[in-house]
Amino acid sequence: MQPYSERPDPSLLLAPKISQILEQRRTHEARAALAELAMPEIVDLLVALAPQHRAMAFRLLAREMAADAFTELPAQIQQQLLDELSNEQLAQLFNEMDPDDRAELFDEMPGQLVTQLLAMMRPEERRSTRAILGYPADSVGRLMTPEFLTLKPDWTVQQGLGHIRQYGRDAETVDILYVVDKHGRLLDDIRIRELLLADLTTQIESLMDTSAAWLDAHDDREAAVRMMERYDIAVLPVLDRDHVLVGIVTFDDVADVAEEETTEDIHKGAAVAPLEMSYGETSASALFRKRIPWLLVLVLINLGSSSVIEFFEETLQSMIALAFFIPLLIDTGGNTGSQSATIMVRAIATGDLELKQWLRTVGKELSVGITLGVAMGVAGGMLGLIRGGWELGLIVGLSMVCIVITTNLVGASLPFILSKLHIDPAVASSPLITSIADITGLIIYFMFANWLIGSLPTGTALDEVAAAVDTTLSCVPCWLTNGSGRG
């Protein structure tokens, strides 16, 4: 059997044929061919078709199929179809969409067009859409759908099953049903399996255990991701402030959120402002705007490394071999800090760590840093011994130990500090940690060199550190005004 990854996509093979059929206006044949495709194949086919054929093929889809396909298309193609369809066709399209998908699309459309479309939609669809749009942009309320089934506690199982048969086709899912009181307040959830296996005369109230997990409509949407992971459940009820059931959130919506949040954290972790669209849909100018701010900030921070080297120029001249180990030491410090920060950021994001655990966590990372530092110090010291003798080996080894311990603590602490300041800890990105580690590592390295080879220019070790930092800060405006690192 041919591996799945090597099988030809039927939708792509069909694209030339559909284009030819549409050119010849054989619409019945095209409609029949489209009806045989699965939804992912329809989406791929619409993407593959030329714009003029795409609009024709889209109009041939059944209403519900067209609504589902539209929500899966890239934003650029959605906009092209919006331009091709009349307002009446758009109203029919949005009437068939799930309310949460409709609200998400309305967010991206001009306000005047949204008003026109809402006025043309069915009253019940208009009410549900306005209700969802009334919640904050990143809240659970924007993810939920109001298409769910409820049961009454005093019903029998037979009455419940009859209700499902009558209204289940319009519900998002019937896997889990919700028991509510006469005011619509959630009492419990019941799996369809429990109803199917129970005696028909059993009251639904006797099947309840009042242990339903639920979300507040105003919760951040990341709460839905964490709740589904914790309870291993594919559907969650959404309640308002009065505990009234107003909607449900399903796994497919939460999976999209999880992917978006992970992508956003990855972008921030690389010092890139998160993209609003996919990479393919983002223009070169937009990519420039997303990347340049952090690069400029990091340039200013990295001026500190140059200032430290300049300050300890006399030390460097007294033992030229010191320069050989500068990249080794600062790269090791940056890598250590990045490892620690990445672990902390992910643990905080998944709820594995809380802010109140910072002291115990930093203590744990201190012990880890010490063991890592000793191991790396021995390796670095041996390299220094081979390269320049025992004196250089001792300088490199001791510097490596202190650099690894220090940068490991910085990487572990910074995400907690940013979280405390209500800043996304993902900002503690590898480039930022690396830049901080560079400055810290150079100061530690040259301090040990000064101590062992006795070439301190003036003052004590603490004076040297303070002077190096002052020099770094004072040089920044000079660099900006005349390109010089000397104040």
Side-chain angles (χ1 to χ4, degrees):
M1 183 178 291
Q2 191 177 15
Y4 176 79
S5 59
E6 298 178 7
R7 296 178 203 169
D9 189 333
S11 60
L12 300 182
L13 295 177
L14 189 60
K17 180 181 178 182
I18 291 291
S19 296
Q20 183 180 6
I21 293 174
L22 291 173
E23 284 284 355
Q24 298 171 358
R25 304 293 176 178
R26 292 149 53 194
T27 55
H28 293 292
E29 189 175 342
R31 183 180 286 109
L34 291 169
E36 294 179 359
L37 295 176
M39 182 53 61
E41 296 168 350
I42 291 175
V43 173
D44 291 341
L45 174 65
L46 291 173
V47 172
L49 290 174
Q52 67 273 21
H53 296 147
R54 181 185 301 132
M56 294 171 65
F58 186 79
R59 291 191 182 98
L60 295 176
L61 295 172
R63 288 184 181 180
E64 291 186 8
M65 190 175 291
D68 291 340
F70 188 86
T71 60
E72 301 297 329
L73 289 169
Q76 184 178 1
I77 294 180
Q78 286 180 344
Q79 185 58 54
Q80 183 253 322
L81 290 174
L82 289 176
D83 294 338
E84 294 283 343
L85 300 175
S86 66
N87 284 354
E88 290 78 8
Q89 290 172 322
L90 288 176
Q92 291 177 358
L93 174 66
F94 284 107
N95 269 327
E96 299 301 328
M97 285 186 187
D98 291 336
D100 52 333
D101 292 333
R102 187 189 306 129
E104 183 179 356
L105 289 170
F106 279 178
D107 269 338
E108 307 298 327
M109 297 170 63
Q112 185 177 1
L113 177 58
V114 171
T115 302
Q116 293 175 358
L117 291 173
L118 284 171
M120 300 170 67
M121 288 167 55
R122 295 192 294 264
E124 63 272 18
E125 302 296 343
R126 182 165 58 247
R127 283 193 298 270
S128 63
T129 304
R130 281 177 171 163
I132 293 175
L133 290 172
Y135 291 103
D138 291 326
S139 68
V140 169
R142 285 296 186 96
L143 295 177
M144 71 180 185
T145 176
E147 297 174 343
F148 56 90
L149 286 179
T150 60
L151 306 174
K152 296 293 193 279
D154 57 348
W155 287 358
T156 63
V157 169
Q158 185 171 9
Q159 287 176 302
L161 291 174
H163 181 75
I164 295 169
R165 292 190 186 97
Q166 185 175 359
Y167 299 103
R169 289 182 177 82
D170 296 328
E172 178 80 6
T173 177
V174 295
D175 293 343
I176 298 180
L177 307 143
Y178 300 97
V179 184
V180 298
D181 63 15
K182 62 181 181 180
H183 300 293
R185 291 190 291 260
L186 179 67
L187 299 175
D188 200 8
D189 58 5
I190 294 180
R191 296 180 183 275
I192 187 68
R193 182 171 182 233
E194 296 179 59
L195 290 180
L196 294 174
L197 297 179
D199 188 275
L200 294 178
T201 59
T202 302
Q203 270 200 331
I204 287 176
E205 187 174 16
S206 65
L207 301 177
M208 294 166 45
D209 58 13
T210 64
S211 61
W214 54 273
L215 295 162
D216 189 294
H218 292 84
D219 285 342
D220 188 274
R221 61 183 191 167
E222 289 186 61
V225 179
R226 293 193 295 269
M227 188 78 78
M228 283 193 177
E229 290 177 346
R230 180 179 180 183
Y231 290 97
D232 193 22
I233 190 170
V235 186
L236 281 171
V238 181
L239 312 183
D240 65 11
R241 296 289 166 78
D242 297 321
H243 211 72
V244 172
L245 180 62
V246 292
I248 60 172
V249 172
T250 54
F251 173 78
D252 56 335
D253 297 318
V254 172
D256 292 339
V257 171
E259 182 180 5
E260 291 173 15
E261 296 297 334
T262 301
T263 302
E264 182 177 309
D265 287 344
I266 291 172
H267 287 165
K268 289 181 178 179
V272 176
L275 305 180
E276 283 82 16
M277 298 180 290
S278 67
Y279 177 84
E281 296 172 328
T282 305
S283 65
S285 60
L287 289 171
F288 170 81
R289 292 192 299 272
K290 294 293 183 181
R291 297 171 64 174
I292 192 63
W294 259 113
L295 289 177
L296 292 174
V297 170
L298 292 171
V299 164
L300 296 179
I301 294 175
N302 286 329
L303 292 179
S305 300
S306 303
S307 299
V308 172
I309 293 175
E310 180 185 26
F311 185 83
F312 289 102
E313 184 177 358
E314 184 179 341
T315 303
L316 191 58
Q317 289 176 346
S318 66
M319 185 182 286
I320 299 301
L322 290 170
F324 179 80
F325 288 95
I326 289 177
L328 171 68
L329 290 167
I330 63 176
D331 286 350
T332 300
N335 293 337
T336 304
S338 296
Q339 284 183 339
S340 180
T342 300
I343 292 172
M344 293 303 109
V345 168
R346 190 57 186 162
I348 292 172
T350 59
D352 189 30
L353 282 179
E354 298 179 2
L355 291 182
K356 62 183 179 182
Q357 297 175 294
W358 72 271
L359 185 59
R360 179 166 63 87
T361 302
V362 170
K364 184 177 182 178
E365 285 300 314
L366 176 60
S367 65
V368 173
I370 291 173
T371 54
L372 288 173
V374 171
M376 297 298 295
V378 171
M382 292 296 294
L383 293 173
L385 179 65
I386 295 171
R387 178 74 181 182
W390 72 267
E391 193 173 36
L392 182 59
L394 189 59
I395 293 172
V396 174
L398 291 175
S399 298
M400 183 73 82
V401 172
C402 291
I403 288 171
V404 169
I405 293 173
T406 302
T407 54
N408 193 66
L409 286 176
V410 171
S413 303
L414 192 55
F416 285 99
I417 295 171
L418 293 174
S419 295
K420 185 66 175 178
L421 297 174
H422 303 291
I423 300 173
D424 191 337
V427 173
S429 57
S430 295
L432 177 60
I433 291 292
T434 301
S435 299
I436 295 173
D438 288 353
I439 299 173
T440 305
L442 286 171
I443 292 175
I444 292 173
Y445 184 39
F446 285 120
M447 288 299 302
F448 274 111
N450 277 330
W451 173 53
L452 287 172
I453 64 180
S455 59
L456 279 169
T458 58
T460 64
L462 291 176
D463 292 334
E464 292 293 345
V465 175
V469 173
D470 288 341
T471 302
T472 298
L473 296 176
S474 64
C475 286
V476 171
C478 300
W479 244 295
L480 293 175
T481 54
N482 56 27
S484 171
R486 302 181 184 275

